[in-house]
Amino acid sequence: MTDIHIKDFSYDLPDDRIAKYPLIERDTSKLLVYNKGDISHDIFRNITAYLPKGALMVYNNTRVIQARLFFQKESGARIEVFLLEPHMPRDYEQMFQSRRMCEWKCLVGNSKKWKSGLLHLCKGVEDEGNDLDDINLQVERLDDSICRFTWQGDISFAELLERVGELPIPPYLNRRSEPNDKITYQTVYARIKGSVAAPTAGLHFTDRVLQDIDAHNIEREEVTLHVGAGTFKPVKSETISGHEMHSEFISVKRSTIERLIAHGGKAVAVGTTSVRTLESLYYLGLKVRKTESTPVAHDGEDEPMFEVGQWEPYESGETTVSSVEALKSLLSWMDGNHLDILHASTRIIIVPGYKYHIVERLITNFHQPQSTLLLLVSALIGDDWRKVYDYALTHDFRFLSYGDSSILIP
């Protein structure tokens, strides 16, 4: 798997095919239907026509945070600090409840101009009439990636971000975020704060579509994967072996695992983040089947936490363990540790040659050339990914985050 050349997963994507803004009605987006080699199209509102009754649909309930902050040096230099993941406290919920101080792993723009010292929040024209002096938000750099934030007042970090942060829309939109993005760049079922990018396959869903899904006796379950910037990190190495996947936090309820077992360990995944969460559950189940496997705990946390390594699925060799068996092992382990929610992290990379264990259908958008997300699609439908993308390009589909969608049935 590691010798896959990323140049083999390229295609020509003209800039005018990248959707810069969403449609007014989310569920009127185009839907490409790939069904075992046959390709047609519809509108997303009719998605239930391509889902078997009694199926289980799994979607990611993460919510995008306003992760982009701007600070200013005394010289006037503007420094962007982009939040990636909590450092102290490590738990997302505790982090967003923090008051007066917290630490994050960050990306720092204009990094060479700021090595040390306290920076104060940068005030822009958009802040006129919004008194930020009472907060006095400051940041200091502890090392290349860890930043400490301090502020005044009885305000949580979650409230602070809502007040002073900027929503991090994708850079390929080539525009600043606008007020409406705060609504349109969230799924209608977004609940759990933590992502720095939206799980964009979910942007097509509306309350009307969800009601139609329920009316067709299709069951729905939530998982949480907080999307990190690393998910969309371009592959710069010639082969995929040189690409490093970043770790992302996942959370799955006990009841969700029970529901997966009841459905034979199979599900329809909404988006690549749901895919990575579901397939990671399989390998977490394999871990607990090995008696020598010991859960890894976060510093300062009592609850055990696992991580699925980037190449773990390919290093474990062929396994005869079914998805139901793996999930039952995971459930049994949770019961033994008195856990109602499984917290873990994953660095799993899904590339051609990967064997899917839980995901049997995928709802997803159209991804960038030479991306790990395109590799994930190819792992599901093989070389037919080219037929799918050629069809989308010749039938005026809109691409990337605010673009149209597809359902892939291998």
Side-chain angles (χ1 to χ4, degrees):
M1 315 299 178
T2 58
D3 60 353
I4 292 171
H5 286 74
I6 194 62
K7 65 178 176 60
D8 295 333
F9 295 86
S10 188
Y11 67 95
D12 183 29
L13 178 59
D15 184 68
D16 62 1
R17 304 308 298 275
I18 299 173
K20 301 300 192 295
Y21 292 91
L23 298 177
I24 295 175
E25 294 186 76
R26 296 173 183 238
D27 58 12
T28 59
S29 57
K30 286 185 178 181
L31 175 70
L32 183 147
V33 180
Y34 171 89
N35 190 350
K36 303 183 188 306
D38 295 328
I39 302 177
S40 59
H41 69 266
D42 202 334
I43 61 171
F44 191 82
R45 191 177 296 170
N46 299 328
I47 186 67
T48 52
Y50 309 100
L51 300 172
K53 288 185 178 180
L56 177 63
M57 173 181 284
V58 177
Y59 55 91
N60 185 2
N61 64 11
T62 189
R63 187 170 185 83
V64 185
I65 61 172
Q66 295 182 191
R68 183 172 279 127
L69 298 165
F70 294 94
F71 294 85
Q72 197 161 11
K73 297 184 67 175
E74 290 185 4
S75 65
R78 185 177 167 99
I79 305 294
E80 177 184 338
V81 179
F82 189 99
L83 306 178
L84 292 179
E85 62 184 63
H87 179 69
M88 194 283 292
R90 292 286 295 271
D91 178 80
Y92 277 87
E93 187 174 348
Q94 291 180 24
M95 169 60 74
F96 290 122
Q97 292 174 353
S98 296
R99 279 171 159 74
R100 298 188 180 275
M101 191 274 286
C102 64
E103 296 173 4
W104 280 75
K105 183 177 180 181
C106 302
L107 286 176
V108 178
N110 220 355
S111 179
K112 293 181 179 179
K113 293 188 177 181
W114 177 46
K115 295 297 183 183
S116 61
L118 281 173
L119 301 184
H120 293 269
L121 187 68
C122 183
K123 295 182 182 179
V125 175
E126 63 272 19
D127 296 318
E128 289 183 2
N130 182 14
D131 185 9
L132 304 178
D133 291 334
D134 60 326
I135 298 175
N136 190 28
L137 177 63
Q138 301 178 91
V139 63
E140 62 179 312
R141 201 168 182 182
L142 302 184
D143 59 28
D144 286 345
S145 63
I146 306 301
C147 292
R148 175 180 293 156
F149 299 89
T150 55
W151 64 97
Q152 297 176 352
D154 188 25
I155 179 174
S156 69
F157 195 67
E159 294 170 310
L160 186 150
L161 289 182
E162 288 294 322
R163 191 166 167 182
V164 304
E166 180 179 300
L167 196 76
I169 60 173
Y172 48 69
L173 296 184
N174 291 318
R175 63 176 177 84
R176 289 286 298 271
S177 64
E178 300 174 11
N180 203 45
D181 289 311
K182 292 182 180 181
I183 299 171
T184 59
Y185 197 59
Q186 302 280 11
T187 63
V188 296
Y189 45 73
R191 295 192 306 107
I192 311 299
K193 295 177 181 179
S195 280
V196 300
T200 54
L203 296 181
H204 307 277
F205 286 81
T206 59
D207 290 334
R208 170 173 51 195
V209 170
L210 294 176
Q211 290 168 9
D212 190 41
I213 289 169
D214 294 340
H216 280 77
N217 296 317
I218 297 163
E219 296 186 54
R220 293 187 281 126
E221 279 290 330
E222 301 177 3
V223 295
T224 303
L225 181 145
H226 289 321
V227 188
T231 297
F232 304 102
K233 178 183 176 183
V235 180
K236 296 182 178 180
S237 56
E238 186 175 324
T239 63
I240 196 62
S241 62
H243 182 74
E244 181 182 356
M245 295 288 285
H246 290 191
S247 180
E248 292 173 309
F249 170 89
I250 62 176
S251 176
V252 182
K253 294 182 292 186
R254 184 188 192 282
S255 58
T256 300
I257 297 175
E258 289 178 322
R259 188 73 64 87
L260 282 165
I261 292 170
H263 282 264
K266 300 297 180 184
V268 177
V270 178
T272 58
T273 60
S274 296
V275 170
R276 296 179 68 243
T277 303
L278 290 169
E279 294 298 313
S280 293
L281 289 180
Y282 177 81
Y283 287 97
L284 292 171
L286 293 190
K287 281 181 183 290
V288 300
R289 288 176 69 87
K290 299 176 182 178
T291 55
E292 69 273 17
S293 177
T294 303
V296 179
H298 267 328
D299 292 340
E301 292 183 8
D302 294 328
E303 188 170 322
M305 180 166 180
F306 292 121
E307 178 169 88
V308 177
Q310 177 168 331
W311 298 108
E312 194 168 322
Y314 313 94
E315 294 166 350
S316 59
E318 286 294 322
T319 175
T320 58
V321 178
S322 70
S323 57
V324 168
E325 290 172 320
L327 292 169
K328 282 183 175 179
S329 295
L330 192 55
L331 197 63
S332 177
W333 179 85
M334 289 177 67
D335 289 343
N337 285 273
H338 310 291
L339 297 176
D340 289 325
I341 300 177
L342 175 72
H343 293 311
S345 63
T346 185
R347 296 178 58 233
I348 192 172
I349 185 170
I350 296 177
V351 301
Y354 178 87
K355 177 187 176 184
Y356 280 87
H357 299 280
I358 295 176
V359 174
E360 57 180 2
R361 297 186 185 202
L362 169 62
I363 297 169
T364 188
N365 283 15
F366 297 94
H367 308 293
Q368 289 182 290
Q370 299 189 18
S371 64
T372 58
L373 303 181
L374 193 54
L375 292 173
L376 182 150
V377 168
S378 178
L380 184 68
I381 62 172
D383 289 339
D384 276 2
W385 75 265
R386 289 193 176 277
K387 288 171 52 179
V388 166
Y389 277 65
D390 286 345
Y391 186 99
L393 286 165
T394 55
H395 287 77
D396 297 323
F397 275 69
R398 300 157 70 248
F399 278 61
L400 307 187
S401 295
Y402 275 144
D404 295 313
S405 66
S406 65
I407 180 166
L408 307 177
I409 306 170

